[in-house]
Amino acid sequence: MKKAFLWLLVAATYLPSLAQDGYKVPAKDVADLLLAKPTPGVSIDSKASWMLLSERNPYSTVEELGQPELRVAGLRLNPNNFAPSRATYINGFKLKDIKSGKEFPVTGLPAEMLASNASWNPSENKIAFLNTTGNRVDLYTIDVATKKATKISKQAVNTTLGAPFFWMDDNSIVYKAAMKPATAAPKKAVTPKGPTVQEAMGKAAPSATFQDLIKSPYDEDVFEFYTTSQLIQNTGGVETKIGSPAIYLSSSLSPDKKYMLTRTVRKPYSYLVTAGGFPSTVAITDLKGTTVKVLATLPSSEGTPSGYDNTQNLPRGFDWRDDEAATIVWAQPLDSGLIKKEVPHHDAVYALSAPFTGQAKELFRTGMRYRGMSFTDAGFALVNEGLRSKQTTRVSKYMNGNSNLEKIYDLSQNDAYNNPGSPVTHKNAWGRYVIQTLDGGTKLLMNNTVGASAKGDLPFLAKYDLNTKKSEILWRATPGTYEFVADVIDPVNLVILTRRESQKMVPNYYIKDLVRRIADRPITSFTNPYPQLEGVTKQKIFYKRADGVDLTGDLYLPKGYNKEKDGALPVVMWAYPREFNSADDAAQVRGSQDRFTTISWASPVFYVTQGYAVLDNAEMPIVAKDGKKPNDTFIEQLQLNAEAAINKLAELGVGDRNRVAVGGHSYGAFMTANLLAHTNLFKAGIARSGAYNRTLTPFGFQNEDRTYWQARDLYTAMSPFTNADKIKTPILLIHGDSDDNPGTFPINSERLFNAIKGNGGVVRYVSLPYEAHSYRGKENLLHMLAEQGQWLDKHVKNAPKTF
């Protein structure tokens, strides 16, 4: 016994211990950048008469994140108020008269307001919003004329699932009301009635690795309690119930405002998919809630075949036609839901009109998967179809009554250069947004808010000819600035609202008249929230990898940096891989060096204030080669991308190739761990909230739709966990302990940390309390930035220089 005790005592002396010293704070410039108050959000009415300015605090506190949270059926809820537990709120509203430029405070706002879901009524003289408190959510409206807010809901609003309200007309709102007080929620028994049992009876049910699923009969009861709601019509403060209580996934009003399309959940609740995939009923009701027509009784989505373009052999995509009084459209597969089945058409689209007593009419068929349609007032619609596996999309013209689609264009989803943009819309006689047509219905007004080109992003507004299939550019952003059309105020006379910025110009809004060509009228005057970045230089750099694929990245250099005097700098490289079927698509220039630099919590640009060269958005394309899929050469191409970036920085003389760190979030973290496992290019890595063992996502990940059992060797080779013994470069792992993203469970970082540590690597693991996949807590974010900064200084900046 004494020998055993002595052995344990000796062993304990060799166990490493790490003091938990509480929260850290980064360098002052870094902290000030993070905590800078963001510019207000802007919402402008369609006539550009009034602007709603929404002010918010940048981040929550950890104490706020730590409030009670219920996780069930893929939802994260506050059990005290029938609301999501992780929301971003508006803390203040102002109204601005655009013509006079005067701003007005909104009176009657609730104290300590936590507002969300601001929405203009059809005539745009009122604005509805929700306010969340500790024990309920209420519905308010702002009268634009009086600038006064008034609470209108008599019952607590239920915001747990789907849209919580919609405007019926200028004075009526339909909202979802909670059924009981939160104190009446089911109580969990200390001793369950029995074990939880699941069973499969030979029917395949591949599924993504969803989090927060139902796991017990108690969870079922809790889900039903919190998501059941009553539709209420509020007209001038008078409230009327619509139908019976139900679990509403969605509800929408017909254009003529005589019917509603609803989708409601029913039992049995799934233990494998989230609430959106539960068995449901799609029905049309009248405004009293009486069922007029049941359109579909849908089973759980558990049976969806694996593969991104496969679907259940069931009707899907139910929606109202925006150009008719009350007509429902939907799609049905013609290939039993299996895209590889050789058939001339894969989907058929149907329609059924009021009074919904006849047979559905087939409108047309699509050669790929139907994705939706947008209507016009000119007797036609644009149909969107595509294949994710082929990275392709098609837009066609459907003339009412003609089942033969006229192809407008085919486009690779990654071909940004040839994207004509999105059609500009306007409100029709039903008050629904439909595509704006010009010149007798022969042309469309197309808004491309990206405008990708070989010179970088230059957004444009164009007139698209449906006959010639060509665009006439009406306006394009001027090189040296980044400006896009935020709204088209007058599509006939071409009066537009734009948002303009440059490297030194803070983003602001302008009214521009393209016909009269009078001087642009600024309607906002936001100032620079980031004085710490003044003097920092930014440029888009261009380089090639060894196999000839063109790459780009955004290079930031510190204020006052002089290459001859200061020499090559330590480098932070930040990236996120993307798959491409075409090298030409992969080589396209993305982004603009003329954008004003804004800082989010996830950005690496913080460290340019600490003496680093920062290469952000370093392109990491993974390109299909020689008839293979992109991921078949994933590791090889990661190395090619990284080597090319480092070589370019060294060639420019601004980056020390022997002092480079690589980092990324989510799939970027997966990239980082792989680069450290398979190359010696870096001094350190930062990997946040990644997935490192692909066997934990066996039915596919990112754009990989092969399953683990179809590509065992690929899954193994791409898993950093498999190669943890090779990770000898110092790596900082950071993960939110409440990650909610499918596939990136915190156990990924926990197990990779143990594997690297067990194999003698240099690794540090930081688990951030209460954080999901996207971090929000102020103290956590400051600590994250401090950890990253210290890791970089220790392993990169202060590493030996090469002369």
Side-chain angles (χ1 to χ4, degrees):
M1 289 290 294
K2 288 183 178 180
K3 288 183 178 180
F5 176 77
L6 181 61
W7 181 88
L8 289 171
L9 184 62
V10 171
T13 63
Y14 289 94
L15 291 174
S17 62
L18 188 62
Q20 305 298 324
D21 296 327
Y23 282 111
K24 299 177 180 179
V25 177
K28 184 179 185 302
D29 280 350
V30 173
D32 288 346
L33 283 170
L34 177 77
L35 300 178
K37 191 172 180 62
T39 55
V42 171
S43 178
I44 299 172
D45 68 15
S46 62
K47 304 178 188 66
S49 299
W50 287 97
M51 177 191 302
L52 179 70
L53 297 166
S54 304
E55 299 174 337
R56 60 182 176 86
N57 294 323
Y59 301 107
S60 305
T61 64
V62 170
E63 181 180 6
E64 290 169 337
L65 290 184
Q67 295 305 300
E69 183 175 67
L70 176 67
R71 302 177 186 181
V72 64
L75 306 173
R76 293 195 171 183
L77 309 174
N78 185 326
N80 297 323
N81 61 10
F82 292 90
S85 57
R86 296 171 180 270
T88 300
Y89 293 111
I90 298 164
N91 306 108
F93 284 125
K94 291 181 181 178
L95 282 167
K96 183 173 184 176
D97 183 326
I98 292 176
K99 186 175 182 179
S100 68
K102 292 182 179 179
E103 290 186 7
F104 301 89
V106 177
T107 62
L109 295 175
E112 299 181 0
M113 183 176 74
L114 297 175
S116 61
N117 298 76
S119 172
W120 297 82
N121 70 345
S123 293
E124 299 177 318
N125 56 19
K126 291 181 182 178
I127 303 165
F129 69 90
L130 298 174
N131 182 60
T132 300
T133 67
N135 59 11
R136 62 182 285 152
V137 179
D138 291 304
L139 181 62
Y140 282 71
T141 58
I142 300 171
D143 187 297
V144 175
T146 63
K147 293 86 177 172
K148 182 179 180 180
T150 305
K151 183 172 85 71
I152 66 167
S153 57
K154 295 181 179 179
Q155 302 183 53
V157 182
N158 187 325
T159 65
T160 57
L161 194 63
F165 73 88
F166 59 84
W167 285 98
M168 180 173 279
D169 56 42
D170 281 339
N171 298 301
S172 299
I173 295 179
V174 173
Y175 72 91
K176 295 194 291 191
M179 297 301 301
K180 298 178 181 179
T183 53
K187 306 300 183 207
K188 188 172 185 177
V190 175
T191 303
K193 295 179 180 180
T196 299
V197 178
Q198 299 184 58
E199 185 176 19
M201 299 299 292
K203 184 178 180 180
S207 175
T209 49
F210 295 115
Q211 304 208 42
D212 306 327
L213 298 176
I214 284 179
K215 298 177 181 178
S216 68
Y218 168 74
D219 286 349
E220 295 186 48
D221 293 341
V222 167
F223 167 74
E224 187 169 308
F225 175 83
Y226 279 100
T227 57
T228 300
S229 62
Q230 172 69 59
L231 292 182
I232 300 289
Q233 179 179 338
N234 183 299
T235 303
V238 177
E239 296 198 336
T240 307
K241 292 181 180 180
I242 299 177
S244 302
I247 301 174
Y248 290 95
L249 283 173
S250 63
S251 56
S252 61
L253 194 65
S254 62
D256 65 1
K257 300 179 173 57
K258 294 180 179 179
Y259 302 95
M260 287 200 304
L261 173 65
T262 65
R263 184 177 169 203
T264 54
V265 170
R266 68 178 196 282
K267 290 183 175 181
Y269 306 138
S270 174
Y271 285 45
L272 191 63
V273 298
T274 59
F278 286 4
S280 63
T281 301
V282 180
I284 299 168
T285 73
D286 62 20
L287 297 190
K288 293 181 179 180
T290 303
T291 299
V292 175
K293 174 79 173 180
V294 174
L295 294 170
T297 302
L298 303 174
S300 164
S301 64
E302 290 181 13
T304 305
S306 62
Y308 290 129
D309 296 312
N310 291 330
T311 185
Q312 288 180 289
N313 190 24
L314 299 166
R316 71 183 194 278
F318 294 90
D319 202 1
W320 295 107
R321 282 193 67 147
D322 294 313
D323 63 336
E324 295 185 2
T327 298
I328 294 288
V329 292
W330 68 91
Q332 179 104 18
L334 297 171
D335 54 10
S336 302
L338 303 174
I339 200 66
K340 290 184 178 180
K341 188 173 182 179
E342 293 188 8
V343 292
H345 298 93
H346 286 279
D347 281 337
V349 175
Y350 299 89
L352 182 65
S353 299
F356 313 108
T357 55
Q359 292 295 313
K361 177 183 178 182
E362 182 180 308
L363 301 182
F364 54 83
R365 297 184 174 194
T366 60
M368 294 182 275
R369 279 284 174 251
Y370 170 76
R371 291 177 171 173
M373 58 195 304
S374 301
F375 301 91
T376 70
D377 285 332
F380 69 89
L382 295 186
V383 177
N384 187 287
E385 57 184 296
L387 294 173
R388 180 175 173 181
S389 59
K390 302 294 184 183
Q391 297 184 348
T392 187
T393 187
R394 173 178 294 167
V395 173
S396 302
K397 181 180 179 182
Y398 164 69
M399 290 297 300
N400 288 345
N402 184 350
S403 62
N404 296 315
L405 298 180
E406 176 191 346
K407 185 177 75 174
I408 302 300
Y409 61 82
D410 283 339
L411 187 69
S412 165
Q413 292 171 185
N414 292 314
D415 181 6
Y417 286 0
N418 291 302
N419 189 334
S422 300
V424 172
T425 61
H426 73 284
K427 283 185 181 180
N428 65 5
W430 301 110
R432 312 283 283 212
Y433 281 98
V434 295
I435 294 172
Q436 174 74 49
T437 60
L438 302 171
D439 300 345
T442 62
K443 296 177 182 177
L444 308 178
L445 198 58
M446 304 290 277
N447 183 17
N448 192 319
T449 58
V450 176
S453 75
K455 297 179 180 179
D457 291 350
L458 293 170
F460 62 82
L461 186 71
K463 188 181 286 189
Y464 187 87
D465 192 312
L466 291 167
N467 295 320
T468 65
K469 314 294 192 293
K470 293 183 179 180
S471 291
E472 173 195 353
I473 302 294
L474 301 175
W475 169 86
R476 189 158 204 165
T478 304
T481 65
Y482 179 83
E483 185 175 14
F484 68 88
V485 177
D487 195 12
V488 176
I489 300 168
D490 185 341
V492 176
N493 296 304
L494 295 180
V495 179
I496 61 177
L497 175 72
T498 68
R499 184 179 185 268
R500 184 193 308 159
E501 61 189 279
S502 70
Q503 284 197 26
K504 296 183 179 180
M505 185 190 308
V506 178
N508 274 292
Y509 289 86
Y510 300 80
I511 293 178
K512 188 185 295 282
D513 191 319
L514 300 183
V515 174
R516 294 190 294 168
R517 298 189 179 279
I518 58 178
D520 295 352
R521 178 158 63 98
I523 61 172
T524 60
S525 55
F526 301 136
T527 57
N528 184 6
Y530 307 120
Q532 299 84 359
L533 294 181
E534 291 180 358
V536 168
T537 62
K538 172 187 175 183
Q539 69 175 113
K540 186 167 284 292
I541 61 172
F542 300 81
Y543 50 101
K544 284 182 182 290
R545 70 186 198 186
D547 62 357
V549 175
D550 290 316
L551 304 173
T552 64
D554 296 325
L555 176 62
Y556 297 82
L557 296 173
K559 176 182 180 180
Y561 170 69
N562 183 296
K563 180 168 62 175
E564 285 69 29
K565 175 184 174 183
D566 301 321
L569 298 173
V571 176
V572 178
M573 182 191 303
W574 208 260
Y576 190 96
R578 290 181 59 195
E579 299 93 338
F580 295 86
N581 287 336
S582 160
D584 290 339
D585 289 352
Q588 291 188 1
V589 178
R590 293 170 181 82
S592 168
Q593 70 174 15
D594 297 318
R595 299 203 68 167
F596 183 79
T597 299
T598 56
I599 298 287
S600 76
W601 66 269
S603 175
V605 178
F606 290 101
Y607 300 105
V608 75
T609 67
Q610 304 304 302
Y612 290 86
V614 176
L615 184 63
D616 195 14
N617 301 316
E619 292 286 353
M620 288 278 171
I622 309 298
V623 185
K625 291 183 173 183
D626 303 323
K628 298 180 179 179
K629 291 197 172 188
N631 282 337
D632 291 341
T633 52
F634 180 83
I635 302 299
E636 169 193 325
Q637 294 193 60
L638 279 187
Q639 182 167 349
L640 288 173
N641 295 325
E643 286 175 339
I646 292 172
N647 289 341
K648 182 63 178 181
L649 294 173
E651 175 193 320
L652 292 172
V654 299
D656 183 346
R657 68 166 59 251
N658 293 304
R659 292 190 298 158
V660 182
V662 64
H665 189 87
S666 194
Y667 206 53
F670 174 73
M671 168 206 73
T672 297
N674 266 308
L675 282 168
L676 299 193
H678 297 284
T679 77
N680 294 312
L681 297 171
F682 301 98
K683 282 292 185 183
I686 298 172
R688 291 196 314 240
S689 297
Y692 308 112
N693 186 343
R694 294 274 61 123
T695 67
L696 299 178
T697 54
F699 290 106
F701 56 92
Q702 293 297 106
N703 285 310
E704 179 57 65
D705 63 355
R706 291 170 290 185
T707 71
Y708 169 73
W709 298 274
Q710 294 168 333
R712 292 174 192 264
D713 291 344
L714 177 79
Y715 274 66
T716 300
M718 288 182 67
S719 295
F721 180 83
T722 306
N723 299 287
D725 59 325
K726 301 176 185 176
I727 300 178
K728 301 304 180 184
T729 302
I731 184 170
L732 174 62
L733 301 173
I734 302 175
H735 217 120
D737 72 3
S738 301
D739 196 316
D740 56 350
N741 183 55
T744 54
F745 289 75
I747 196 173
N748 279 277
S749 290
E750 295 168 9
R751 293 294 180 261
L752 185 62
F753 170 77
N754 289 335
I756 296 172
K757 178 181 176 182
N759 282 284
V762 179
V763 60
R764 182 177 176 89
Y765 174 40
V766 179
S767 177
L768 299 175
Y770 307 120
E771 294 294 358
H773 196 61
S774 179
Y775 310 159
R776 296 177 53 233
K778 178 172 62 177
E779 298 92 336
N780 284 335
L781 293 172
L782 289 168
H783 185 91
M784 178 201 77
L785 291 168
E787 288 276 2
Q788 292 178 169
Q790 291 173 4
W791 195 256
L792 292 169
D793 287 351
K794 179 179 180 179
H795 296 289
V796 182
K797 180 187 285 187
N798 298 324
K801 291 185 179 181
T802 299
F803 296 96

